[in-house]
Amino acid sequence: MLETTNLFFNRAADYLDLTEQHRDILRTPNRVVRVEIITESDDGGLHHHLGYRVQHSAARGPMKGGLRYHPSMDEDHAASLASLMTWKTAVANIPYGGAKGGINCDPSKLSESELYRITTTFVELIKEIIGPTRDIPAPDVNTNPQIMAWIMDAYSKFYGFSPGVVTGKPVDLFGSYGREEATGRGVMYVLEECLSDQGRKLADVTVAVQGFGNVGSNAARLLAERGSRFVAVSDITGGLYNEKGIDIPALLDWVREHRGVEGFPGADGVPGDDVLTCKADVLIPAALEEAVTVDNAKGVQAGIVVEAANSPLTAGAHDVLVGRGVTIIPDILANAGGVTVSYFEWSQNIQQFRWEEARVVEELEKIMRRAYRDVASLSASASLDMRTAAFALAVKRVVKAAALRRSVRQALPPALLG
Ligand code: NAD
């Protein structure tokens, strides 16, 4: 995964004419931390997990990035996702660097009290390197507002009242209105911008979405409200297909009750992977990384892929699709809505002032549409695919900030500093 992120980075670095030494500096994380988390299980035994936090870059501000609880979590994942966060916050042009972390565990096998102990022990072990002006975690796969509340509480026990240490908190505990749906909302705005360039509207398209968690389900709800027809949906329990359109509000009710899309009566059950290759105008991968590979990329029928998940395409799949003229809205642009509203939440926490939901939505819309326009115009003017354009824009912003701090200045191409 890190290899893929670095390959995309290198394409932008080629375009920007960066030296090997500058590339090395920009690719290398500032700090990599691995901790051993030993906690008591409910039956009196022991749990033993590894926790990670990779802080990639602080050139543009305090580092920001989610915490993922998943059996596949390791240093490579954390490093790749941390570097994506650096480029994502730069594309959105919000004053943050990038970090990521998590715990190698399967939360479906843990009780709430076990999860609580694992989370608070993790905070104790990394408390010196996080903080409102250092590194601010947030939710990611299998972590949620409740877990963020525990993190705030555990950190505050050491350092005093610190709501700004973590974002994605519950609205009743210093969270922001609109955070939970923010990533899905951002997906909607960038898709709308992309379609408008093609003379189309959200109501004109059919959509397939892989993953129906926080990001996938909120994107689906908001797009369906604007008339997009969802023909296929999948999650870990399986896939659904209905050419006439899946009733998204009814599916949301079903998933709340049954904890998965499987068995939903308003569509045919299909293998989950079929959702990636079914007939639809737009494909939204919103689950985990590397869902589309060179093998199944050949079968993708959508003309637009919106990367709601991080790294859902391998580099090979990306190149196959771009070669076929498919428009790919890359992760570092498409899913930046979450970190953008996290930034609003952090700003509100620091000022002890709450924004109304309407203001959150309005400011998010401005940032997402502007980010899309910045990337699309570089893509058009420099004949770059959208991903290389997004990375180039981001790397340029990070290099400029690092140069102003004098942490990288020597031998930079003058065009980068202008
Ligand atoms: P989540 O845990 O809420 O949901 C993940 C969803 O993916 C679930 O519906 C799960 O069933 C499904 N899934 C897992 N494996 C699958 C498979 N093999 N096939 C089909 N579905 C599968 O996580 P989330 O927060 O929605 O995150 C999803 C992606 O979006 C991740 O890549 C995450 O890094 C990225 N992301 C999340 C946010 C955020 O604000 N939550 C922000 C930016 C990016």
Side-chain angles (χ1 to χ4, degrees), residues 74-250:
D74 58 18
E75 193 179 306
D76 180 87
H77 266 72
S80 169
L81 292 163
S83 116
L84 284 179
M85 286 307 299
T86 298
W87 315 129
K88 192 179 302 181
T89 51
V91 168
N93 215 357
I94 54 177
Y96 281 140
K100 200 85 176 193
I103 300 176
N104 185 301
C105 69
D106 182 354
S108 69
K109 299 202 170 97
L110 298 165
S111 71
E112 179 162 308
S113 56
E114 288 173 332
L115 258 184
Y116 173 79
R117 285 193 291 275
I118 291 167
T119 300
T120 51
T121 305
F122 182 48
V123 173
E124 252 182 73
L125 293 165
I126 63 165
K127 64 181 186 308
E128 285 91 3
I129 62 156
I130 61 170
T133 59
R134 291 172 190 273
D135 175 0
I136 305 125
D140 191 69
V141 174
N142 292 333
T143 54
N144 55 29
Q146 175 61 77
I147 294 177
M148 301 305 117
W150 295 337
I151 293 173
M152 179 202 128
D153 184 65
Y155 184 86
S156 296
K157 279 180 184 147
F158 292 99
Y159 297 103
F161 176 65
S162 314
V165 66
V166 67
T167 58
K169 299 180 292 295
V171 171
D172 290 325
L173 195 79
F174 307 101
S176 175
Y177 292 118
R179 172 61 184 90
E180 197 133 23
E181 61 165 43
T183 310
R185 186 172 277 282
V187 164
M188 174 184 76
Y189 292 135
V190 295
L191 176 57
E192 194 172 32
E193 288 292 320
C194 175
L195 289 170
S196 84
D197 284 346
Q198 302 176 356
R200 294 195 287 174
K201 296 195 176 65
L202 292 173
D204 299 336
V205 291
T206 55
V207 185
V209 61
Q210 183 212 32
F212 207 64
N214 174 299
V215 180
S217 71
N218 278 302
R221 179 177 60 78
L222 292 161
L223 289 168
E225 282 169 6
R226 283 153 187 80
S228 304
R229 178 154 55 96
F230 278 78
V231 291
V233 176
S234 70
D235 70 5
I236 193 78
T237 65
L240 301 173
Y241 183 76
N242 183 345
E243 198 190 354
K244 297 203 176 82
I246 295 169
D247 180 342
I248 295 295

Side-chain angles (χ1 to χ4, degrees), residues 176-178 181 185 189 344 354-366:
S176 175
Y177 292 118
E181 61 165 43
R185 186 172 277 282
Y189 292 135
F344 301 158
R354 169 158 274 172
W355 295 5
E356 296 296 332
E357 184 162 4
R359 178 165 177 202
V360 172
V361 169
E362 189 190 323
E363 300 282 342
L364 172 65
E365 178 170 3
K366 247 191 273 174

